[in-house]
Amino acid sequence: MSNSDNFRNAVLKKLGLAEENSGVFSDHWHEYNEKDAVESYSPIDGKLIAAASSASPEDYEQVLKHSIKAYREWLNIPAPKRGEIIREIGNELRRRKADLGNLVTLEVGKTESEGQGEIQEMIDVADFSVGLSRQLYGLTMTSERPKHRLYEQWSPIGPIAVVSSFNFPSSVWSWNAFVAAVTGDTVIWKPSSKAPLTAIAVIKVISGVLDRLKAPQIFSLLIGGGSIIGDRIANDTRVSLVSFTGSIPVGKTIAEKVAGRFGRTILELGGNNAAIVSDKSDMDMALKGVVFGSLATAGQRCTSTRRVIVQDSIYDEFTSRLKKAYSTVKIGPPDMKGVLVGPLIDSSAVNTFLSAIEEAKSEGGRLIYGGNVRKIEGYEGGFYVDPAIIEASEQMDIVKKETFAPILYVFRYKAMSDAIRIHNSVPQGLSSAIFTYDLREEEMFLAATGSDCGLANVNTSTAGAEIGGAFGGEKQTGGGRESGSDSWKSYMRRQTVTKNWGNDIPLAQDVRFDI
Ligand code: UN1
């Protein structure tokens, strides 16, 4: 294990992390407090990496006060100048990409390539946000009244909070944070307590850039406190928007609390994504797309392919090739050569995996591949499993739930209308895919009566979205949109402006009110 100890020590050192780290940043790092410290264990070998202190109620209050103060300064800086600051942050992330990516690998067990991809995604969002900072367009309308001008303008909304999940421990934060920053908001980050160190390292890098540029510290950090800090954020009227990535039940509680005070939410909750594989598809491509979708990040993406709906005529061939492909994918510690599937995040994820398989079997599902815990020599403390493939039916309850683990349910269909019905028969609506080269099938899938998800893919995987599009889903996925396209509008308030430059006050709708 000396290798992984060396790796850990080198990663911590390069990023300026210690055995014990403050988990609270306002415009400075708050003092480390042993009480309620969060310990971060690597899922690769189950060993302790380092600890981070959690926010106390006093820390919370200081962070809020600071964020409001920083907002007052930040909102007066012209948006393109804010963009220039985000450009510097993006450039620094480029320089630190390797080290930060390695920390992601260490802390959440992503493969090296996916760990680096996590940081690349932040860099991409930074670039996108720089361009956005010179846009933030409002529309101009024609007025029905003479000598009147009608247009809309956009203004920032103040401090926002981003509550992020372990599986994308920094990039999903940046989807919100960098876009919100160019709009003029400040951002309070509550990361997952399963990935506190990545958040601390990111804030260390970014706050260094802001310091150097003498810019206000617009990104604050509040680690831990679980529901305590989460509750405070949800109930605090000073936080104008809460962007939450996580489970449906927690998202529902947050949404209700924030709505109760007329705050805004962006919710990115569970996905239960399916790929339809038609007999008019390129089967090699379909296999690659489904295997990547179901096994990347060990099935722990919101966008993971959890269901594959295969046409009857190719069902046997496809499932047998699927099993074969699964058997060739290397599972193990991410630092081992050729590994594509790393560990699950912790022991409770392994238990959830095993109990979902039992539930599926008890409902009549047929386990046709994997489904075991895998022990890896030298990494006995790690959380490895053999991904499972289960033949399933639409009537089963378990297939309607998101299990955050590599379980793929296989369904059979004859007509495309049946495939689409099965596809839409779950409460979640994040991502979807169809593999076909038939134009009619493709268009059926993309029609209003087709996929009911926020993301629809043709001949590519449910997972692996680019940042340029708006990301998010429908139904119980929560309806939020983040990252690209016009998602920036969520972080701003719209003001419709009517200006009269005439000498009279004509009224709209021809109303008369002569005095
Ligand atoms: C998530 O799992 O919360 O599309 C986000 C993807 C990644 C993002 C997933 N770019 O798979």
Side-chain angles (χ1 to χ4, degrees):
M1 292 308 293
S2 63
N3 264 350
S4 90
D5 285 345
N6 286 343
F7 181 59
R8 164 189 174 271
N9 294 339
V11 170
L12 292 186
K13 192 161 170 231
K14 281 192 174 149
L15 292 165
L17 296 173
E19 305 276 318
E20 294 177 336
N21 304 279
S22 166
V24 182
F25 184 79
S26 49
D27 59 351
H28 62 280
W29 289 98
H30 293 206
E31 214 169 293
Y32 180 82
N33 179 357
E34 209 166 323
K35 196 172 154 282
D36 301 326
V38 176
E39 293 186 320
S40 179
Y41 294 88
S42 174
I44 299 174
D45 54 12
K47 286 190 179 176
L48 180 67
I49 311 171
S53 57
S54 320
S56 65
E58 295 74 42
D59 287 324
Y60 176 86
E61 216 31 56
Q62 280 184 37
V63 163
L64 253 290
K65 289 208 170 97
H66 162 73
S67 196
I68 292 165
K69 192 165 149 254
Y71 170 63
R72 296 216 173 99
E73 190 180 341
W74 186 241
L75 103 152
N76 285 316
I77 299 174
K81 299 282 174 211
R82 297 196 286 252
E84 282 173 22
I85 290 167
I86 299 299
R87 179 192 292 127
E88 292 292 323
I89 289 174
N91 287 343
E92 189 61 20
L93 290 172
R94 273 189 178 86
R95 281 190 281 274
R96 310 302 299 272
K97 180 178 164 183
D99 296 336
L100 287 168
N102 285 339
L103 178 59
V104 170
T105 294
L106 185 67
E107 191 168 40
V108 301
K110 289 194 185 198
T111 61
E112 192 192 332
S113 163
E114 288 190 42
Q116 300 296 313
E118 169 84 18
I119 310 306
Q120 186 57 47
E121 198 155 337
M122 286 208 281
I123 296 166
D124 294 342
V125 179
D127 284 353
F128 175 84
S129 303
V130 177
L132 197 58
S133 71
R134 288 191 177 268
Q135 301 177 49
L136 307 176
Y137 301 131
L139 296 172
T140 300
M141 301 85 182
T142 48
S143 172
E144 67 187 62
R145 286 170 282 182
K147 297 190 176 168
H148 274 60
R149 197 150 84 79
L150 189 58
Y151 65 97
E152 52 191 26
Q153 61 177 7
W154 295 85
S155 305
I157 53 175
I160 68 152
V162 180
V163 182
S164 63
S165 162
F166 77 86
N167 64 333
F168 281 84
S170 57
S171 61
V172 172
W173 168 77
S174 72
W175 291 355
N176 292 276
F178 294 166
V179 172
V182 296
T183 71
D185 299 338
T186 50
V187 183
I188 298 159
W189 185 5
K190 181 186 152 2
S192 160
S193 357
K194 293 178 186 174
L197 301 175
T198 301
I200 293 175
V202 165
I203 291 295
K204 273 187 191 286
V205 167
I206 292 179
S207 60
V209 175
L210 294 173
D211 248 351
R212 174 164 59 76
L213 299 175
K214 300 198 172 29
Q217 292 292 349
I218 52 170
F219 301 117
S220 347
L221 185 67
L222 285 171
I223 297 257
S227 59
I228 300 169
I229 293 300
D231 262 10
R232 269 175 208 269
I233 290 173
N235 289 320
D236 195 330
T237 50
R238 295 170 296 178
V239 180
S240 52
L241 176 148
V242 180
S243 176
F244 173 76
T245 302
S247 72
I248 292 169
V250 177
K252 187 168 186 288
T253 312
I254 291 184
E256 283 168 359
K257 286 185 179 148
V258 179
R261 61 172 174 87
F262 298 101
R264 292 190 200 176
T265 47
I266 297 177
L267 301 172
E268 206 249 277
L269 311 179
N272 188 354
N273 320 295
I276 296 172
V277 180
S278 150
D279 65 2
K280 295 179 203 68
S281 66
D282 177 326
M283 200 186 281
D284 291 345
M285 275 174 65
L287 264 174
K288 275 194 188 161
V290 169
V291 173
F292 166 73
S294 57
L295 296 187
T297 325
Q300 300 172 105
R301 293 191 189 203
C302 296
T303 53
S304 292
T305 307
R306 311 220 172 272
R307 300 174 297 134
V308 57
I309 306 161
V310 186
Q311 195 155 20
D312 200 37
S313 48
I314 55 160
Y315 185 92
D316 292 339
E317 187 190 352
F318 185 82
T319 45
S320 98
R321 287 188 64 187
L322 187 63
K323 285 192 276 183
K324 195 150 173 243
Y326 262 52
S327 69
T328 59
V329 170
K330 198 160 167 181
I331 300 159
D335 55 345
M336 196 179 271
K337 208 171 172 294
V339 162
L340 290 178
V341 178
L344 294 187
I345 188 69
D346 55 19
S347 60
S348 100
V350 174
N351 292 335
T352 308
F353 168 79
L354 295 173
S355 59
I357 294 169
E358 284 316 308
E359 196 176 330
K361 287 204 274 194
S362 74
E363 287 191 273
R366 203 161 73 87
L367 180 68
I368 58 168
Y369 187 87
N372 314 305
V373 169
R374 173 168 312 194
K375 283 286 161 221
I376 292 172
E377 215 191 306
Y379 296 85
E380 283 77 8
F383 306 109
Y384 301 92
V385 298
D386 283 325
I389 305 176
I390 297 177
E391 287 186 312
S393 72
E394 225 180 315
Q395 285 71 37
M396 290 164 55
D397 280 338
I398 189 77
V399 304
K400 306 222 176 335
K401 296 182 195 148
E402 177 192 50
T403 302
F404 225 55
I407 302 174
L408 181 62
Y409 299 110
V410 194
F411 302 80
R412 194 189 281 266
Y413 80 91
K414 284 206 170 80
M416 184 51 67
S417 53
D418 294 327
I420 290 173
R421 189 199 64 244
I422 298 170
H423 180 278
N424 290 348
S425 68
V426 298
Q428 308 84 352
L430 180 57
S431 187
S432 58
I434 189 168
F435 289 89
T436 182
Y437 45 71
D438 183 283
L439 175 74
R440 287 180 187 154
E441 289 187 342
E442 179 192 318
E443 289 297 333
M444 262 180 93
F445 179 74
L446 296 174
T449 46
S451 159
D452 59 4
C453 293
L455 310 169
N457 298 283
V458 178
N459 291 328
T460 190
S461 177
T462 60
E466 298 179 23
I467 60 100
F471 184 96
E474 300 305 319
K475 302 197 283 185
Q476 290 187 7
T477 302
R481 290 297 185 277
E482 298 167 323
S483 173
S485 185
D486 64 352
S487 307
W488 59 270
K489 290 179 177 169
S490 303
Y491 308 92
M492 303 197 85
R493 65 183 166 83
R494 182 196 314 237
Q495 189 166 56
T496 303
V497 181
T498 308
K499 276 193 200 172
N500 177 2
W501 53 279
N503 302 316
D504 199 1
I505 302 201
L507 301 178
Q509 296 88 40
D510 290 331
V511 170
R512 301 201 62 85
F513 197 91
D514 298 325
I515 50 170

